[in-house]
Amino acid sequence: MGAHPKDKRHPRFGHLPLATSGPQECALTGVALLRAPYLNKGSAFTPEERKEFKLHGLLPPNVQTLDEQVQRAYQQYSSRPNDLAKNTFMTSLKEQNVVLYYKLIEEHLKEMFSVIYTPTEGEAIANYSRLFRRPEGCFLNIEDQDRVDDNIAQWGNSEDIDLIVVSDGEQILGIGDQGVGGILISVAKLTIYTLCAGIHPSRTLPVVLDCGTNNEELQNDELYLGLRRPRVRGEEYDAFVDTFVQACRKNYPKAYIHFEDFGLPNARRILDKYTPKIACFNDDVQGTGCVTLAAIMAAINVSKVKYEDLRVLCFGAGTAGTGIADQIMDAIALETDKSKEEAGKQIWCVDKPGLLLKSKKDELTPAQLPFARDDAELKDKNHNDLVSIIEEVKPHALIGTSTKPKSFTEEAIREMAKHVERPIILPLSNPTKLHEAHPDDLFKWTDGKALIATGSPFLQSSTMAQSTKWVTECNNSTTFPGIGLGAILSRTRLMSPPLLVAATKALAAQAPALKDPKAGLLPDVTDVREISVKIAKAVIQASIKEGLNEEKEIPEDEEDLEEWIREQMWDAAYRPLKKVEHDGASSHAKGEQGTGSARRGGS
Ligand SMILES: NC(=O)c1ccc[n+]([C@@H]2O[C@H](COP(=O)([O-])OP(=O)(O)OC[C@H]3O[C@@H](n4cnc5c(N)ncnc54)[C@H](O)[C@@H]3O)[C@@H](O)[C@H]2O)c1
Ligand SMILES: O=C(O)C[C@H](O)C(=O)O
Ligand SMILES: [Mn+2]
């Protein structure tokens, strides 16, 4: 099984390494074809296809269009009584017909985004072992380390996989240890990659590393599907992660690895270990850092605060909080003539014990250390209480990644609003129930002056901010798809800092608030495919500048480059099927190998 069929639409680009249109090779017929989600068209199989692929008698006679199928599927979706039921409906639709699944979401993106992703996906993950019907993705477990290479190898040939999303399930959103259910965050992030950046869905692989779980509820749940043992730590854990990474490198040398929702003790460590060696990315550290910095860039443009004056308070200094602090520190250093150390002094971090202090440096993580303050700084004031800290620091921006709901109290926010004209407030803890504050309250307590973005989507109900229909969402989903697209198309050897800076600037340049101060700090999800093109372009250009691109035939001209990117984005449309003889390769776990494009979860 080899490369994708060449795209015939734009012969002007001779070289399209990931061309995604053109006929799809198909070795299946009859029931097997109807059960292959990447090839199945259901009632949309044409009369010719029905004849050629032996589908007569297996389908009712009326041939339908994709739009008609979308209409029916939407009615079925709408009849489901709640969001979780809608989420499971979508999961089964994907198991039947991948094109229809993506087309349906595309048509109802705004409505469905929160159902297939945060926050409802969090509920699906928490109930994984109860809702389980059919596995999707690759399950690796620490008791079977010898099988890791075989398990990874079964998804295709070396050119077949571009993108791997992996989680060990320890810190899922803010809902903590979900063990093997973490597979669903890998699946959901990949859905977003396809939807928002056109990454070919069958060229991706979701993985969970099951290392046990410390979640007692799961351990005691007789239906729990994962390893029923406490989480493995230390050398054995590190060796397992390394075995996984090496198996990926060996079997799919070009694949880009995205780490998601690892626990605090491991997330940053793993990222730091592999960043100098392979093209990899941690979404909670880097994706979140980029999107939050872009929101802040837009906000200070509105509030006219200069980088050299900016004061930021990060409430919650774990994986996401320190990732954000790092990106802001780098931006301040870049935009002023300050050293990183000096720039870091403009950022205050608070965690469970209060303000991070130098006197307690033994208790701090390496990522927290650069932000520890001198003890004398808050004089006799209370280091533990958010209101006192705000009173002292007078932050322009307050960012929540604490998982502590309602921790931005009325008193704290009113205190903040006393000192700055336009408080920038970003409650980012997901899912929605963990947000540090509700946007309506934030508008109320600041007389509508707050510049707000939230980690999960909110319907705008406030009368204070009617200029925008929705409160802007500040979720890494605006950045990671475009960054991944750029990484894959350039085949960057590493995801080095200049590539992330370029991505952030490309996103910030698209902020609606730049044109209209009353508009959102970040672009809306409905625009995300075009935003991904801009981000991917910036990443590709930065990769070339850094000499990291293994893909050499990339157009130089800006417009050509954008078009070249667009041409390679997969979209939800039925492609003609081209009959091929079975080549025996369908022993791959994707089930439909040897058919012109790789896929998983097949017949
Ligand atoms: N919006 C986004 O794009 C985005 C991205 C990543 C993470 N998040 C959210 O951020 C939250 C944290 O994720 P993470 O991966 O950094 O988790 P983490 O466990 O690494 O970090 C959470 C930190 O908050 C601290 N904390 C807990 N209670 C606190 C309190 N009362 N006061 C101050 N600090 C407290 C913890 O000690 C820890 O350091 C989650 O809810 C996650 O969903 C949002
Ligand atoms: O998954 C999300 O919605 C964003 C982020 O990665 C998180 O962990 O909350
Ligand atoms: Mn995450």
Side-chain angles (χ1 to χ4, degrees), residues 371-389:
F371 304 101
R373 317 291 304 193
D374 279 326
D375 293 60
E377 214 176 296
L378 255 76
K379 302 178 203 94
D380 303 326
K381 298 229 172 62
N382 186 347
H383 291 149
N384 311 326
D385 164 56
L386 184 61
V387 180
S388 318
I389 296 171

Side-chain angles (χ1 to χ4, degrees), residues 171-173 185 189 260-261 283-284 288 476:
Q171 177 55 287
I172 296 294
L173 310 169
I185 200 66
K189 294 276 169 179
E260 187 69 42
D261 290 353
D283 187 33
D284 299 288
T288 315
N476 44 35

Side-chain angles (χ1 to χ4, degrees), residues 359-504:
S359 62
K360 301 219 175 113
K361 65 174 189 286
D362 294 345
E363 294 160 30
L364 304 183
T365 66
Q368 290 175 334
L369 270 180
F371 304 101
R373 317 291 304 193
D374 279 326
D375 293 60
E377 214 176 296
L378 255 76
K379 302 178 203 94
D380 303 326
K381 298 229 172 62
N382 186 347
H383 291 149
N384 311 326
D385 164 56
L386 184 61
V387 180
S388 318
I389 296 171
I390 288 179
E391 190 186 350
E392 188 66 21
V393 172
K394 304 179 180 57
H396 298 100
L398 174 63
I399 302 165
T401 57
S402 66
T403 71
K404 174 112 198 294
K406 302 197 167 55
S407 45
F408 294 172
T409 58
E410 177 169 1
E411 198 188 354
I413 298 305
R414 287 199 185 276
E415 182 63 39
M416 184 176 178
K418 272 191 212 162
H419 307 285
V420 293
E421 185 54 34
R422 302 293 308 268
I424 303 164
I425 310 176
L426 312 177
L428 300 185
S429 288
N430 294 327
T432 320
K433 63 175 185 226
L434 298 185
H435 276 19
E436 284 80 2
H438 192 289
D440 278 355
D441 288 331
L442 296 175
F443 282 127
K444 197 163 73 196
W445 301 332
T446 60
D447 297 327
K449 290 197 175 144
L451 295 162
I452 299 172
T454 52
S456 297
F458 269 93
L459 248 177
Q460 178 69 270
S461 56
S462 167
T463 48
M464 298 258 188
Q466 279 166 344
S467 54
T468 48
K469 215 169 130 231
W470 300 70
V471 171
T472 306
E473 186 179 348
C474 178
N475 188 293
N476 44 35
S477 59
T478 323
T479 50
F480 72 76
I483 294 175
L485 181 62
I488 291 166
L489 289 177
S490 63
R491 298 287 184 208
T492 194
R493 273 186 285 113
L494 302 172
M495 180 48 66
S496 69
L499 278 61
L500 295 172
V501 171
T504 308

Side-chain angles (χ1 to χ4, degrees), residues 287-322:
T288 315
C290 288
V291 72
T292 309
L293 175 58
I296 289 190
M297 284 174 166
I300 61 176
N301 205 287
V302 173
S303 63
K304 306 282 175 246
V305 173
K306 296 200 189 84
Y307 279 97
E308 54 261 44
D309 301 327
L310 179 66
R311 294 183 301 274
V312 178
L313 183 56
C314 294
F315 185 76
T319 304
T322 56

